[in-house]
Amino acid sequence: MPELPEVTVISEDVRTLAAGRKVVRAEIFRENVSNAGVEGFRERLVGSTLRDVRRRGKIILLDFGDVVGVVHLVISGRVLRLPAWRDPDKIHTAVIEFEDGLVLAFTKLWLGYFDLYEPEHVDEHPLISHLGPDPFTEAFSVQYLAGVFGRKASVKGLLLDQSVVSGLGNIYVDEVLFAASVHPTRKADTLTREEIESIHTATREILSQAIGLRGTTFDSYHDAFGEVGKFQHQLKIFARVGEPCRVCGTKIEKSRVAGRGTHVCPTCQPL
Ligand SMILES: [Zn+2]
């Protein structure tokens, strides 16, 4: 699933490709891909100009002025640049043609994942209304983390919880906890101030590096130019089960934490 770095890259790509361009055609595969329905989707988008593209958590926001597209790429969704118009289908769930022949397909969206909202109501969207602070905002402070970590839940479970911090998923949480030398099953309320500071620093550093390398590609993720990311070569722990830890040489172990496959170096991340 695209996490914060991948959604950031895709959002910036779409801005580069399409910002300032007028929509000449807009179709969705099925009525329930968008709250606007097939007809509403067409009527509200055709003739409007894409002004900007932003990101909230793992959600892409397409700012068309008086209407905002709220796009969630879910598991393996992509934004594809197509050589020419094609009618939407199961794969190319929503297709938008901009002036000068630019055609973007939003692929494999689930039901309702290309909603259209009035700008003033975007914060009420069910995928957005419960989002915690973005890791790159001031609200995501060490103080804030210390507050939300005052619970008995596992630190991994809390970092995956989009209402605690928005944008992190399984890959980056494993990398962050390894960088901070914290075991994923640690109860958050047992973390020291130093450990919380390490998690805070590692979160921003690792996400920044991943954005710089245009994301992590294991299977489906490609940017809007069709290129794969490069951060998978920098991963220190994720998907390296059985391989030696790059820091200490201990075999990396895998278990299930918070319902997700979790990678740990038992030496660098003692319990
Ligand atoms: Zn190690």
Side-chain angles (χ1 to χ4, degrees):
M1 174 186 290
E3 303 181 29
L4 184 151
E6 293 77 37
V7 177
T8 301
V9 170
I10 292 174
S11 299
E12 289 172 358
D13 288 355
V14 172
R15 184 192 301 125
T16 302
L17 288 166
R21 296 201 198 205
K22 193 181 272 191
V23 175
V24 297
R25 221 164 156 180
E27 301 284 345
I28 49 176
F29 172 53
R30 278 201 297 227
E31 195 66 16
N32 49 15
V33 168
S34 173
N35 62 340
V38 171
E39 199 129 309
F41 192 80
R42 187 187 303 139
E43 278 173 6
R44 298 198 69 182
L45 289 187
V46 172
S48 63
T49 297
L50 182 66
R51 298 188 180 180
D52 195 12
V53 184
R54 298 189 305 276
R55 178 189 59 72
R56 291 286 297 278
K58 305 176 194 174
I59 311 295
I60 300 170
L61 296 180
L62 302 165
D63 176 5
F64 291 97
D66 53 4
V67 64
V68 176
V70 180
V71 181
H72 189 198
L73 294 175
V74 212
I75 304 290
S76 56
R78 289 168 59 178
V79 179
L80 282 181
R81 187 177 180 175
L82 301 179
W85 174 263
R86 66 179 293 161
D87 288 329
D89 54 31
K90 239 194 310 196
I91 304 294
H92 307 83
T93 329
V95 185
I96 299 180
E97 180 174 352
F98 295 87
E99 56 190 340
D100 302 324
L102 173 72
V103 180
L104 296 180
F106 297 78
T107 74
K108 298 185 185 173
L109 303 182
W110 290 1
L111 305 182
Y113 281 180
F114 199 139
D115 281 345
L116 298 181
Y117 267 58
E118 318 291 326
E120 60 272 27
H121 294 302
V122 167
D123 286 347
E124 296 159 21
H125 191 284
L127 292 172
I128 291 175
S129 59
H130 301 298
L131 286 181
D134 190 277
F136 292 112
T137 58
E138 256 177 59
F140 182 74
S141 61
V142 173
Q143 202 55 40
Y144 169 78
L145 263 191
V148 292
F149 282 169
R151 316 182 203 172
K152 290 211 184 314
S154 74
V155 60
K156 173 155 183 173
L158 287 178
L159 289 174
L160 285 173
D161 182 343
Q162 299 299 296
S163 70
V164 169
V165 48
S166 60
L168 289 174
N170 203 33
I171 297 174
Y172 295 107
V173 169
D174 278 8
E175 292 295 316
V176 164
L177 291 175
F178 175 75
S181 304
V182 170
H183 197 285
T185 62
R186 277 280 297 283
K187 298 291 176 242
D189 62 356
T190 68
L191 295 170
T192 64
R193 182 76 181 189
E194 288 68 33
E195 287 172 324
I196 295 171
E197 283 170 5
S198 297
I199 291 171
H200 182 263
T201 305
T203 300
R204 286 186 171 165
E205 279 182 6
I206 288 169
L207 293 174
S208 300
Q209 288 165 12
I211 292 168
L213 290 171
R214 302 191 55 80
T216 299
T217 299
F218 277 114
D219 37 30
S220 59
Y221 165 73
H222 289 64
D223 64 28
F225 295 98
E227 303 290 330
V228 297
K230 294 188 181 68
F231 193 71
Q232 62 274 19
H233 306 302
Q234 307 296 320
L235 295 173
K236 294 201 167 61
I237 191 114
F238 190 83
R240 298 193 64 243
V241 58
E243 294 177 40
C245 170
R246 293 197 208 279
V247 174
C248 72
T250 307
K251 260 192 188 179
I252 289 168
E253 296 176 355
K254 187 174 178 185
S255 61
R256 271 190 108 65
V257 180
R260 308 295 300 274
T262 297
H263 306 77
V264 174
C265 170
T267 305
C268 293
Q269 298 163 277
L271 248 188

